[in-house]
Amino acid sequence: MPVITCIDDLKQLHKRRTPKMFYDYAESGSYTEQTFRNNTSDFAELLLRQKVAVDMSGRTTESTLIGEKVAMPVALAPVGLTGMQSADGEIKAARAAEKFGVPYTLSTMSICSIEDVAAHTSKPFWFQVYTLKDDDFMRRLFERARAANCSAIVITVDLQIMGQRHKDLKNGLSAPPKFTLKSMANLATKWAWGLEMLGTKRRFFGNIVGHAKGVSDPSSLSSWTAEAFDLTLDWKRIAKFKEMWGGKVILKGVMDAEDARNAMSVGADAIVVSNHGGRQLDGALSSIRALPAIVDAVGDKIEVHMDSGIRSGQDVLKALAMGAKGTMIGRSYIYGLGAMGEAGVTKALEVIQKELSTSMALCGERDVKNLGRHNLLIPKGFEGDWQ
Ligand code: GLV
């Protein structure tokens, strides 16, 4: 059993254990991957302000997100094809999140269905939806999420059209994988993964296959996106989805102060400042740089969460100190899942919580809710002075 000390250890194990097409799917940004890289490197530019001789006993990372108590303000982000990183991956990740006390967000593009995850967990989870042309499908999706007792829907607003990820095209990404000479050569080296997959029936897009009409290739993410997603989406339609759902709504993918104000005016309960992990608009600002202007615009009126680039508890601390009420992690837990299944997701959460708590102590903070700009050394011009 290797000694795991950080998220990068899990990443190395994930890479070794999981077929290349799925590891690459998680590890890609769109086009030149500039935004994907900047999401992490911009975190490194923000420094932490060390404080000494401050009582650091009795620290707590507990907080609330959209009114729900959480062990730390870190939710598991929706990630497509999670059940291809490890068999029944969504169930494993949801269970780890539930035991740890943080929200789990199930993706529409999951392998395990909403019903599968509900049957294997006991606390409500969040459900992520894409906005499709087919209102009947949307209505049924909301009904299924209600029946599964989901406590919020997370509407992804930045993926009506997919940013191209070169590796997915080169690898012929599909779920389940198609057996070509190239994919077979790689799959043949991933025995443990393959045996696990043979032991489950969940190998297709569980929320879509048998539920969506007119999808020519239900194993292909990109063909489903191109055929079914609604290019006409606007704020009026988002308001309509909020009404159709009738419960709490989080809008994910907001990078602009004006859009944040629009999100507020359609009655969102929270927004996630996110560039989709650098997977959509290549050339967009990193999320951590986009965050302050959005917090300034709406932060006292709506919950602002952020994702994209978080790989450590120090990153969580920085995002919270810059004004986010909560954070989401995607790749950081997917590495854990691909490396070691449910135990790996738990490990990722433990690593991040320990790093967060230790870094809080060294910054002279005992309560995660008290973090603020006073904990940071922010380089001049970090937030940009854009024309
Ligand atoms: C789906 O949301 C993706 O980024 O692949």
Side-chain angles (χ1 to χ4, degrees), residues 81-333:
L81 280 75
T82 295
M84 284 287 130
Q85 305 294 358
S86 173
D88 304 331
E90 290 87 2
I91 292 173
K92 291 173 181 167
R95 282 187 159 167
E98 173 172 316
K99 287 181 200 149
F100 199 90
V102 293
Y104 173 69
T105 319
L106 180 70
S107 165
T108 304
M109 310 262 203
S110 56
I111 303 298
C112 302
S113 66
I114 313 176
E115 292 78 12
D116 275 340
V117 174
H120 289 87
T121 52
S122 54
K123 286 195 206 135
F125 54 94
W126 298 350
F127 182 60
Q128 174 266 347
V129 294
Y130 286 108
T131 47
L132 311 192
K133 291 183 231 168
D134 181 351
D135 269 8
D136 285 343
F137 179 79
M138 292 303 290
R139 227 172 256 115
R140 280 199 309 277
L141 209 53
F142 290 139
E143 272 162 27
R144 292 169 65 194
R146 250 189 306 276
N149 201 23
C150 293
S151 55
I153 57 159
V154 177
I155 303 182
T156 296
V157 291
D158 62 357
L159 196 150
Q160 297 315 109
I161 189 169
M162 246 173 133
Q164 179 172 303
R165 299 101 193 227
H166 301 324
K167 286 178 239 163
D168 292 351
L169 296 180
K170 294 193 164 99
N171 291 331
L173 175 74
S174 70
K178 295 199 172 89
F179 293 108
T180 61
L181 271 181
K182 194 172 160 200
S183 71
M184 292 275 280
N186 183 253
L187 288 169
T189 65
K190 310 288 178 183
W191 279 106
W193 178 92
L195 283 174
E196 238 183 55
M197 280 296 163
L198 287 176
T200 181
K201 292 202 179 67
R202 301 183 184 100
R203 293 194 288 262
F204 302 88
F205 288 108
N207 292 323
I208 299 159
V209 175
H211 296 276
K213 289 173 276 188
V215 183
S216 51
D217 180 0
S219 70
S220 161
L221 193 69
S222 51
S223 76
W224 186 60
T225 317
E227 287 162 17
F229 285 28
D230 180 11
L231 292 179
T232 69
L233 181 77
D234 58 14
W235 291 104
K236 258 181 31 213
R237 202 152 156 72
I238 292 174
K240 181 176 163 188
F241 289 130
K242 162 134 176 111
E243 203 183 296
M244 260 193 204
W245 164 246
K248 287 196 178 155
V249 169
I250 302 169
L251 296 184
K252 176 170 173 286
V254 174
M255 289 287 289
D256 178 84
E258 192 183 323
D259 285 346
R261 282 189 283 268
N262 286 330
M264 226 173 58
S265 65
V266 296
D269 297 275
I271 53 172
V272 187
V273 176
S274 166
N275 54 36
H276 215 106
R279 300 162 73 77
Q280 284 296 98
L281 179 62
D282 186 39
L285 211 55
S286 64
S287 288
I288 190 65
R289 271 190 211 267
L291 176 66
I294 294 176
V295 170
D296 285 350
V298 298
D300 53 345
K301 302 183 199 83
I302 188 172
E303 267 189 29
V304 178
H305 304 179
M306 84 78 78
D307 88 352
S308 303
I310 294 177
R311 305 285 186 272
S312 67
Q314 296 89 302
D315 293 342
V316 172
L317 194 163
K318 290 173 187 177
L320 299 175
M322 286 296 257
K325 172 95 196 289
T327 60
M328 279 188 159
I329 52 168
R331 295 184 181 91
S332 288
Y333 86 84

